[in-house]
Amino acid sequence: MNISPLEQNSMDICAEEGDKPTVETNTSCGTCFSSDVPFQKKVDKLELTRTYEAQHTQSDIMLVSEFKQLKLEKEAQKNWDLFYKRNSTNFFKDRHWTTREFEELKTCREFENQRLTMLEAGCGVGNCLFPLLEEDHHIFIYACDFSPRAVQFVKQNPCYNPDTCKAFQCDLTKDSLTDNIPADSVDVVTLIFVLSAIHPDKMPLAVENIYKVIKPGGCVLFRDYGFNDHAMLRFKTGNKLGENFYVRQDGTRSYFFTTGEFC
Ligand SMILES: C[S@@+](CC[C@H](N)C(=O)[O-])C[C@H]1O[C@@H](n2cnc3c(N)ncnc32)[C@H](O)[C@@H]1O
């Protein structure tokens, strides 16, 4: 199968985030454009980004109908659960960067080896949870997700140990976290590519819910998609739900944050 430069580039970018594109491509092709081309040409990523942006501006005007938007919101949990049924534990890469990128995991401790209580909100199948438990032996992690199937995968993981973690199903925008976690008991909350999956109108509900379980002075570590990420630019016409908010082919949605939205 021939690969257009655009598709090939999106595959490269996706692989970095463990986020796969909806287009079917032959990934073994590296940087060649087509098997007919007798030489390999390096793709200029900057040029591709500009092409993406230009195409995106044009195809960005039409919004998904209100009827479909309501259906997507109603079926949000089902769509994430089906996502994990299709992909099981193979989609996202293990996130081995948390202790490196979030130095607060060290600095929030009053003394070395202080046992931290953490909440991994929207934990998926544990790609952040298990590497962290492996690296830091002085931590207890509550882990919750919307998708019952994802939680099941977490509990089936050979590294799941009730002495160091507790996984449970929960809709962050609806189910009180205090049903599973004592109020004011958590030192650190991580939100890794999770808020973006929640409808922007409901994000404050998730934040308020988290606020109930976090200790005074505790911290929230947040990492998510940014405005004009390649993941955003590769959405085609008919995928836009609202300002910076898009739907993938499988019905899961993603918001793209701008700096300042959280200040
Ligand atoms: C992009 S995945 C990220 C998963 C995981 N944090 C990781 O980094 O691998 C987004 C996750 O958010 C979860 N999610 C979406 N809406 C949620 C909600 N309202 N409450 C709890 N989890 C939610 C989904 O089920 C999915 O597992």
Side-chain angles (χ1 to χ4, degrees), residues 17-258:
E17 279 301 342
D19 195 2
K20 292 171 191 164
T22 45
V23 287
E24 273 185 19
T25 57
N26 175 357
T27 54
S28 62
C29 189
T31 51
C32 70
F33 291 170
S34 143
S35 52
D36 306 327
V37 180
F39 59 89
Q40 293 213 336
K41 189 175 171 188
K42 193 116 180 98
V43 175
D44 181 331
K45 287 203 169 165
L46 187 63
E47 252 174 50
L48 279 172
T49 304
R50 288 194 190 119
T51 316
Y52 264 147
E53 283 177 355
Q55 288 180 352
H56 199 257
T57 315
Q58 283 166 21
S59 67
D60 206 27
I61 301 154
M62 240 172 60
L63 293 189
V64 169
S65 72
E66 206 184 321
F67 174 79
K68 196 174 169 206
Q69 297 229 19
L70 288 172
K71 189 166 184 283
L72 286 168
E73 178 57 22
K74 218 164 123 194
E75 296 180 350
Q77 185 191 29
K78 185 180 94 183
N79 288 332
W80 273 110
D81 211 50
L82 286 173
F83 170 90
Y84 289 113
K85 183 177 184 189
R86 260 190 320 276
N87 297 296
S88 71
T89 56
N90 303 319
F91 196 83
F92 300 112
K93 284 183 185 169
D94 270 352
R95 314 215 185 264
H96 286 286
W97 42 257
T98 28
T99 46
R100 188 186 69 230
E101 298 276 322
F102 295 139
E103 55 189 35
E104 291 83 355
L105 285 170
K106 235 189 222 157
T107 55
C108 73
R109 286 179 156 106
E110 281 168 27
F111 53 91
E112 215 186 333
N113 297 342
Q114 178 188 350
R115 194 162 203 237
L116 284 187
T117 303
M118 247 185 78
L119 164 63
E120 227 291 74
C123 61
V125 295
N127 295 93
C128 177
L129 169 75
F130 292 114
L132 197 54
L133 283 171
E134 216 172 88
E135 268 182 57
D136 191 332
H137 295 178
H138 304 280
I139 205 158
F140 181 92
I141 309 184
Y142 292 101
C144 68
D145 198 274
F146 210 11
S147 154
R149 206 178 298 264
V151 173
Q152 201 53 34
F153 279 126
V154 169
K155 289 184 172 173
Q156 284 167 356
N157 189 302
C159 298
Y160 184 80
N161 175 355
D163 292 338
T164 54
C165 58
K166 175 184 172 180
F168 58 96
Q169 191 277 330
C170 149
D171 177 352
L172 286 166
T173 68
K174 216 164 65 187
D175 308 318
S176 180
L177 286 165
T178 53
D179 292 346
N180 283 283
I181 307 173
D184 302 334
S185 67
V186 172
D187 299 288
V188 181
V189 178
T190 46
L191 279 165
I192 314 289
F193 295 101
V194 171
L195 271 192
S196 57
I198 294 176
H199 191 290
D201 290 350
K202 291 192 172 177
M203 286 178 198
L205 296 173
V207 174
E208 279 164 28
N209 201 2
I210 286 166
Y211 184 74
K212 282 190 240 159
V213 293
I214 199 160
K215 274 181 192 169
C219 68
V220 177
L221 304 175
F222 163 82
R223 182 155 188 165
D224 222 315
Y225 293 112
F227 181 74
N228 271 353
D229 274 355
H230 281 262
M232 172 175 161
L233 295 174
R234 71 167 185 267
F235 277 112
K236 305 252 161 63
T237 315
N239 288 97
K240 187 163 180 172
L241 299 168
E243 193 70 15
N244 305 344
F245 194 40
Y246 293 84
V247 60
R248 302 184 187 92
Q249 276 184 354
D250 62 6
T252 62
R253 296 163 301 169
S254 190
Y255 184 82
F256 295 85
F257 293 93
T258 49

